[in-house]
Structure formats: C-alpha cells, structure tokens
Amino acid sequence: MRFLLDDEQREFARSLDGMLAAAGTPAAVRAWAKGDHGPGRALWTRLAEAGVFGLAVPEEQGGLGVLPAELAVSFTELGRHAVPGPLVETVAAAALLDRLGDERTAAVWLPGIASGKTIASLCLLSPDSPYALDADAADAVFVVERDTVRLAQDHGALQHSLDPARRLARPAGGTVLAQGPEVAAAAAYAAEVARLATAAQALGLGRALLDRTVEHARHRVQFGVVIGSFQAVKHRLADTLLALEFARPLVHAAALALAAHDPGAGREIAAAKVSACEAACAAARTALQVHGALGYTDELDLSLWIRKARALRSSWGTPSVCRARVLAP
C-alpha cells in the first residue's frame, strides 16, 4: 500500500500552507479565544473556497466527494497553523448527515457546510462526552443521543478547555432531525471521521512545534554557544522528529482504510490518533523545555500550539479509549 502523497495532494498541502501562513492565524486564534469570531469566520470562508469542507460532502450536495486522504492532508495543514473553530466537528457533522440517508435533511445542511456558510458542531452525547465545541460560534449544533439526532436550540453556559480557543458547552433542547437504527451507524462513522481529522490536526500541530523549536535552538545562545549544539537538545529534538515521522504513515494509512471501507479502519484510525496526539504532546513538552521560561508566556505565539496539543489528545477519544479500540478482539 502506498502511503506517500501524490503530486496533487502535495500541491494542495503547499497551497493551504501558503494561504494560512499569509493569513496571520495567531491573531485569529487570540480573537476567537476572546469571543470575537470575525477573523476566524473570514479564515473559514477562505478555507471553504479552497475546498477543505467540500472534502467531506458528496458532489450531489455541492461538495468535492468524500475524500478521506485529502481531508487528512488539509487537516494536517490546519493543525500546522492552529486554525481555530470546530473544524473537526463540522466535517464530522457532514459525515453524520450524509450517512443518515435522509436526502431532505442532507440537502438543507450539506451545501452550506461545503460552501463555508454553515459552521457546525457535533456532540455524540454520553456521560464521558457531554460537550459541544464552540457552540456559540456554530450556526448549527447537532446532538446524537442513542438513536436520535436533534438540532440543539440552547448551548447553555460556556466552559473553557485546556486550550482557551476551544470553548465547550452543554447543548440542550432542540428539534429532532432523525430517529431510528440508522442513527447509530451514522454516528459511528462520524466519530471515525472526527478521530482521523483530529489525528491529522495533531500531526501538523506537532510538526509546527518542532519546526519552531528547531529554529529557536539554532539562534538561542547559552554559555557563549547556540543551544542547538548541546547533545541533550539534539537528542530531544531527534526523538520528537522520530515520533512525528512514525505517526505520519499511520495517519495516511488510516485515511486510505477509511476511503476503502476497510472493516479494520476503526483500529487503524485509533492507532493513528494515539500516535499523532502523543507525538504532538511530546513536541509540546520539547518546545516548552527548549524555549525555557519563554515557553510559559501567553504573549509568545508558541503557547497557542502547546495548549492545543493537550486538548487534541483527549478530543474524540482519549489515548486509553483508542488503545482499547486497537486491542479489541
């Protein structure tokens, strides 16, 4: 099986990287954390124009077709630039609505998701997961509970997560959109899409942390020499790179398995999420240590990436949940 990206996918990644680098995402992240969604929504529109959200929507509903490999490519770049908003939840909501088999409901919501006009959040309600991400910024909050999908009308009080730009809410009330045995299968598929997108996001995030830390180590002088010359720093950076490089083919393989409707795709996605999120957290720890006291400051943009790494680790499946999925008979 070929895990390398083809020329078209690499060009897509480069175009997103260039666009997001020029957009100044740190300012949008800081504004989002304060409740100002304007810069984030402007960025969302540009991502939609680039086709990011269309990758989770069928062509007949205005999308580009459901393309897990390209979705993983795009979310790696979104993670690299720490783009704010319920990105994962929006594509997972699209997967849910597509799999419900209700053409009328799909026609109402999917074109808007593909075009970027609709920001969605999704909550698969359970005692361990009672929250919807960024419900205050979303145009629609979909809640799945047992065999029912409803459109929430009230998101309640907001709570902050480990990442200030990720705000949580307990959705309540709402209108029933679908009910029946097909809901469970659709929700299970949506959760797989969410885990894959989160894994890809963590992979890009970890790589951005490593790149920034390497650059810092090349220029930071201690005891008259750059700290990148110290063996301890070199080894720490090398270990971080190895973890990220190990996770990368797992993410790509998981995307291919999902695209091929492989019965074992769930295990591959769970393995990818564990590896990518643990690698991202290791990159965050390395960044914090190599940057020293600078790494603790809110003013340094690096803090936006460090905080997001911890939040992604527990989002859409903790490491223990994902490991259990990998080892399940």
Side-chain angles (χ1 to χ4, degrees):
M1 185 178 289
R2 181 179 174 84
F3 296 155
L4 296 176
L5 302 179
D6 61 30
D7 291 342
E8 188 174 344
Q9 290 166 336
R10 285 194 290 269
E11 181 56 35
F12 180 46
R14 281 193 292 269
S15 67
L16 286 177
D17 182 33
M19 183 189 77
L20 292 170
T25 55
V29 175
R30 295 184 188 281
W32 195 278
K34 295 176 182 178
D36 177 7
H37 304 130
R41 290 196 76 112
L43 190 56
W44 195 283
T45 299
R46 295 186 65 186
L47 290 171
E49 291 171 350
V52 170
F53 304 111
L55 296 170
V57 176
E59 291 183 74
E60 58 268 25
Q61 298 295 349
L64 300 173
V66 180
L67 302 170
E70 284 72 14
L71 197 66
V73 169
S74 63
F75 270 79
T76 300
E77 297 308 315
L78 298 182
R80 189 190 303 275
H81 293 277
V83 178
L87 301 157
V88 169
E89 289 68 23
T90 293
V91 297
L96 172 76
L97 295 168
D98 180 38
R99 286 297 181 105
L100 286 175
D102 185 338
E103 293 185 6
R104 180 178 299 179
T105 300
V108 169
W109 297 105
L110 291 181
I113 289 176
S115 68
K117 294 179 180 178
T118 300
I119 295 178
S121 190
L122 175 66
C123 175
L124 304 184
L125 200 59
S126 71
D128 296 329
S129 180
Y131 301 109
L133 177 66
D134 291 326
D136 59 322
D139 302 300
V141 179
F142 300 97
V143 180
V144 178
E145 187 173 14
R146 300 186 184 90
D147 63 349
T148 302
V149 179
R150 55 186 170 85
L151 181 64
Q153 293 177 334
D154 179 23
H155 57 66
L158 295 173
Q159 302 182 36
H160 288 289
S161 74
L162 296 169
D163 174 8
R166 292 171 60 89
R167 305 202 294 181
L168 306 173
R170 291 178 180 266
T175 304
V176 173
L177 298 179
Q179 203 165 23
E182 69 279 358
V183 170
Y189 178 75
E192 301 294 9
V193 171
R195 282 182 181 169
L196 173 63
T198 302
Q201 202 175 14
L203 182 65
L205 183 90
R207 190 60 206 230
L209 282 165
L210 177 61
D211 291 346
R212 286 166 176 257
T213 305
V214 168
E215 188 65 20
H216 177 76
R218 284 174 175 166
H219 296 94
R220 175 69 173 174
V221 175
Q222 193 91 25
F223 307 115
V225 296
V226 293
I227 62 174
S229 65
F230 299 152
Q231 284 293 98
V233 174
K234 289 181 179 179
H235 289 168
R236 189 69 185 261
L237 294 172
D239 288 344
T240 302
L241 175 61
L242 283 174
L244 290 166
E245 286 300 296
F246 179 79
R248 183 160 56 94
L250 293 181
V251 172
H252 294 167
L256 291 175
L258 187 64
H261 308 290
D262 188 330
R267 290 184 181 182
E268 295 207 35
I269 291 170
K273 185 177 186 301
V274 169
S275 297
C277 288
E278 296 291 56
C281 283
R285 290 192 295 271
T286 297
L288 194 60
Q289 182 177 24
V290 174
H291 279 80
L294 288 173
Y296 290 94
T297 61
D298 286 338
E299 292 78 13
L300 188 69
D301 288 344
L302 186 79
S303 66
L304 305 178
W305 277 258
I306 289 175
R307 291 175 174 180
K308 192 175 289 293
R310 288 292 303 275
L312 292 180
R313 185 174 184 264
S314 58
S315 179
W316 292 102
T318 63
S320 61
V321 167
C322 289
R323 288 190 177 100
R325 179 70 184 277
V326 173
L327 298 174

